[in-house]
Amino acid sequence: MKPFEPEWVFFEPEALNYPLGEELYRRYKGSGIPVRMTTSHNRVTGIPGRTEAEKYRNAKRTLVVGVRKTLQFDTSKPSAEYALPLATGCMGHCHYCYLQTTMGNRPYVRVYVNLEEIFAAARKYIRERAPAITRFEAACTSDPVGVEHITGSLKRAIEFMGRQELGRLRFVTKYSHVDSLLDADHRGHTHFRFSINADHVVKFFEPGTSPLSDRLEAAGKVARAGYPLGFIIAPLMIFDGWKEGYGRMLEELRDRLPPEAEEGLTFELITHRFTKAAKRVILKRYPKTRLEMDEERRKKKWGKYGRVKYVYRDAEMEALKDYMEEWIGRLFPSAKILYFT
Ligand code: SF4
């Protein structure tokens, strides 16, 4: 799978005042890809498309280069203290992706060029919490590896965090284009995680992302480069043959990982859930999806602000938990399962 190449690129005028913005402008101006200006990266108009669905697909092929104005970082509990904003939006088409609801009608891929300002804000947050460690999550609103070949921002963030005695970085990806990150001076401060799933889920619900075997190969490279490595298995789904599917995936993972990956290996397990609002958006954007979202077959769970999520019923949750924990324990005896939810 080739790295993402946009079909349209928009620039905020202010982005050209930063070296990365200027470099990207020069690169795209000479590339034959249409380049336009936009007054704000939050309101981009002029993305072509006759229907809603076409506009959505085209927006996912659109890159917007802007300046991150809000330097107040969102919190990212429980796995990190703050979200590190390097990009917003993703070129992937995972049917279940929560960005569908959080990004509303702005699904285009935004990258931010004022990296020094973003890092200065991170430094301030680290100082405030000293002597405690402060963790930053770089994949809250995008897949940062998916745009790394365009911006190089993730490598800079990794090296920035390597220099911070009390700063740590983490992110997760479904992309395998990791080569440019392998020689980064990370000093063990970055927890590099891959999102993986059974073949069935990757095939039917994750179009536009790297194939599982490529992600596993990339994970091996990342382990050999000395990064602390982890896997997020999400969303864990019940489908016909799910036990065999997840068992096979874990066996393949064990066979492909080099011995150095074992040290400090982590797993995070997240079961599939949906809200009514997400279901509406998903069915509009992917009308033929085979994603099971039958409220009758689920248990209601009240989240923040009284929002109802539909999760698997207790018996299915237990079956998933027992099965995954047993297999991970057997195949990766020294790995740690950070949580199952
Ligand atoms: Fe969403 Fe991640 Fe898929 Fe991108 S790769 S669409 S961020 S789930």
Side-chain angles (χ1 to χ4, degrees), residues 12 38-45 64 66-70 88 103 105-106 108 110 112:
E12 270 182 357
T38 179
T39 43
S40 161
H41 67 77
N42 286 320
R43 217 180 67 81
V44 175
T45 52
V64 180
V67 174
R68 177 76 185 190
K69 302 209 175 59
T70 325
T88 309
M103 292 190 53
N105 53 2
R106 293 175 295 170
Y108 42 80
R110 282 170 266 178
Y112 306 116

Side-chain angles (χ1 to χ4, degrees), residues 48-81:
R50 279 161 301 152
T51 60
E52 271 299 303
E54 211 174 281
K55 276 195 185 130
Y56 174 71
R57 274 198 311 275
N58 287 342
K60 286 247 177 197
R61 296 176 184 141
T62 302
L63 178 71
V64 180
V65 181
V67 174
R68 177 76 185 190
K69 302 209 175 59
T70 325
L71 291 171
Q72 218 156 15
F73 295 177
D74 287 336
T75 54
S76 179
K77 294 279 165 72
S79 61
E81 277 67 44

Side-chain angles (χ1 to χ4, degrees), residues 124-172:
K124 190 181 85 177
Y125 284 116
I126 294 170
R127 263 201 308 269
E128 274 170 16
R129 285 178 39 86
I133 296 263
T134 303
R135 298 163 303 168
F136 296 86
E137 167 67 64
C140 285
T141 53
S142 79
D143 188 313
V145 175
V147 287
E148 178 62 5
H149 62 290
I150 295 175
T151 61
S153 306
L154 190 57
K155 185 174 191 180
R156 287 182 57 189
I158 290 169
E159 296 196 326
F160 163 78
M161 226 45 99
R163 293 191 295 274
Q164 310 306 310
E165 198 192 333
L166 299 174
R168 298 290 181 274
L169 183 66
R170 45 174 39 227
F171 53 84
V172 60

Side-chain angles (χ1 to χ4, degrees), residues 60 89-94 96-99 139 141-143 173-175 206-207 209:
K60 286 247 177 197
C90 176
M91 67 299 296
H93 275 278
C94 304
Y96 53 75
C97 179
Y98 71 97
L99 294 181
T141 53
S142 79
D143 188 313
T173 184
K174 284 191 175 75
Y175 289 93
E206 299 183 351
T209 63

